[in-house]
Amino acid sequence: MKVCFMCDLHLPFDGNALQYNILNWAIADIKKKEPDCIVYAGDVTCDGDINVYNEFILEMKAIGIPFFYIPGNSDLRNSESADEIKKMASECKNIVADGVVYA
């Protein structure tokens, strides 16, 4: 199984920021490499901007590869959007022997 791992883009509200160039490069690279899934482990945004978070999720889902993500501390900095961002996260669970541990 080929997994693409991403984290810590810290996207700001300014769509002209350098981080968006990096995101576009990463998306093109992911498409070339054709992984089985994409895992994003936190800090999509620099400040928990829900609009930035939503746009990122839409862009990643549009790639058409299964996409799993969890928020990081920067994503949860805005108390007004933190709960909504938490709800959008992928379910996290670990299978240990005969039990399942949810994070």
Side-chain angles (χ1 to χ4, degrees), residues 37-95:
C37 71
I38 302 165
V39 175
Y40 194 96
D43 293 344
V44 168
T45 70
C46 63
D47 59 2
D49 185 313
I50 191 69
N51 296 318
V52 171
Y53 202 84
N54 283 331
E55 279 300 313
F56 173 80
I57 299 302
L58 288 173
E59 281 192 51
M60 296 307 292
K61 287 183 175 181
I63 296 171
I65 296 170
F67 175 63
F68 305 94
Y69 52 95
I70 58 172
N73 64 313
S74 294
D75 299 319
L76 303 177
R77 285 186 181 163
N78 183 334
S79 61
E80 293 178 15
S81 62
D83 286 340
E84 189 174 344
I85 287 175
K86 285 179 189 177
K87 289 177 188 172
M88 291 189 289
S90 301
E91 179 181 44
C92 297
K93 65 181 177 180
N94 298 299
I95 299 173

Side-chain angles (χ1 to χ4, degrees), residues 1-72:
M1 172 179 248
K2 192 186 312 183
V3 177
C4 174
F5 180 84
M6 300 172 68
C7 65
D8 294 296
L9 277 171
H10 294 275
L11 299 171
F13 69 91
D14 179 3
N16 294 315
L18 176 63
Q19 291 94 320
Y20 289 94
N21 293 337
I22 295 166
L23 174 59
N24 292 333
W25 172 86
I27 289 172
D29 194 52
I30 290 167
K31 289 177 179 178
K32 265 194 286 188
K33 292 181 177 167
E34 300 178 339
D36 297 301
C37 71
I38 302 165
V39 175
Y40 194 96
D43 293 344
V44 168
T45 70
C46 63
D47 59 2
D49 185 313
I50 191 69
N51 296 318
V52 171
Y53 202 84
N54 283 331
E55 279 300 313
F56 173 80
I57 299 302
L58 288 173
E59 281 192 51
M60 296 307 292
K61 287 183 175 181
I63 296 171
I65 296 170
F67 175 63
F68 305 94
Y69 52 95
I70 58 172

